[in-house]
Amino acid sequence: MKPAPGGKVIAIDGPSASGKSTVARSVARSLGYCYVDTGAMYRALAWHCLQLGVDTRSESAVMAACRHWKTRLHRLEGDPDEVVLLVEGYRPTAELRTAEVAKAASDVAVVAGVRRWMQQVQRDCARFGSLVMEGRDIGTAVFPETDFKFWLDASSEERARRRGAQGVVDNLAYRDHQDSQRKATPLMPGLGAVRVDTTAQSIEQVVTSIVTRVSGEPQVKAAGPD
Ligand code: DC
């Protein structure tokens, strides 16, 4: 799917703790685009399911929760503006950052029907204008036609170090394995995505290189063998 006429989508995909969130927010701020954290949307669904006592590994139960969800996307004003998914009018924040919710988010994200539902919600974000959208499948499934795809990664040691420095207890190995092995749109770079290794680069260096590319010509290489 193409972004709305006149709107651009910058897809920033990669594994947990690869630097996506900080970089994506900063790119959105530089360009005046809306920022969208699609991981937070899976986390919001997982949190909602946990609140309802829904088994996050049961396809039928999670799909029923999706069907009853009165989906509300909301544009939050800020620097940058952000499009968020509300849960019955409420915006969970700290609640989404627990290890329990991180694991449950990875679990609900395995379910093919849930991914289709969520990808549709995420495409709808384009009505708010140009977007910087971070996730795992933006360049492969949500906006595969966008001209701007970036794949961020860092060494596993560096990713674990960053999580530790943030004081976050994460199940990185569990999520990495499940996110990359699932059948439905697994974690992988979109066709033609520019790969950025953030292990030894500063945030500023990565942001500058992305903003420079986006301000120039479309960077996605033509399909075909490298
Ligand atoms: O980026 P994050 O850690 O907040 O994402 C939480 C989980 O959501 C992650 O383990 C996998 C899933 N996810 C996904 O499958 N697709 C996305 N586009 C974003 C997140």
Side-chain angles (χ1 to χ4, degrees), residues 54-97:
V54 164
D55 176 359
T56 51
R57 305 209 59 133
S58 159
E59 169 146 20
S60 57
V62 178
M63 285 309 297
C66 292
R67 274 194 297 277
H68 287 104
W69 192 308
K70 291 185 184 49
T71 307
R72 282 280 321 276
L73 289 172
H74 177 69
R75 181 180 183 144
L76 274 180
E77 286 191 13
D79 186 24
D81 283 5
E82 181 170 352
V83 181
V84 296
L85 183 57
L86 299 180
V87 182
E88 291 170 0
Y90 174 68
R91 181 192 175 219
T93 52
E95 298 92 326
L96 304 186
R97 299 296 146 194

Side-chain angles (χ1 to χ4, degrees), residues 123-203:
R123 285 181 198 116
D124 190 31
C125 293
R127 68 185 153 91
F128 293 95
S130 292
L131 308 173
V132 179
M133 187 174 266
E134 64 146 297
R136 305 287 194 293
D137 60 346
I138 312 308
T140 54
V142 182
F143 287 108
E145 305 290 327
T146 184
D147 288 326
F148 304 103
K149 298 181 192 175
F150 297 89
W151 173 260
L152 266 54
D153 206 349
S155 68
S156 43
E157 296 76 24
E158 175 62 12
R159 295 197 292 120
R161 193 196 64 73
R162 287 177 188 168
R163 274 293 189 259
Q166 290 165 359
V168 176
V169 181
D170 202 339
N171 10 45
L172 270 188
Y174 175 91
R175 296 203 292 135
D176 276 358
H177 179 77
Q178 180 158 267
D179 296 346
S180 51
Q181 297 304 313
R182 67 175 177 236
K183 286 204 181 69
T185 57
L187 170 67
M188 60 186 276
L191 192 64
V194 171
R195 291 167 186 257
V196 183
D197 184 344
T198 67
T199 308
Q201 291 195 68
S202 69
I203 300 292

Side-chain angles (χ1 to χ4, degrees), residues 114-131:
V114 170
R115 299 201 70 78
R116 280 194 296 276
W117 180 85
M118 192 61 95
Q119 288 159 354
Q120 200 52 49
V121 171
Q122 290 166 358
R123 285 181 198 116
D124 190 31
C125 293
R127 68 185 153 91
F128 293 95
S130 292
L131 308 173

Side-chain angles (χ1 to χ4, degrees), residues 10 12 23 27 31 148 150 152 196 205-215:
I10 301 173
I12 301 189
V23 166
V27 169
L31 295 168
F148 304 103
F150 297 89
L152 266 54
V196 183
Q205 284 173 312
V206 177
V207 170
T208 304
S209 79
I210 292 178
V211 170
T212 306
R213 282 176 180 276
V214 172
S215 308

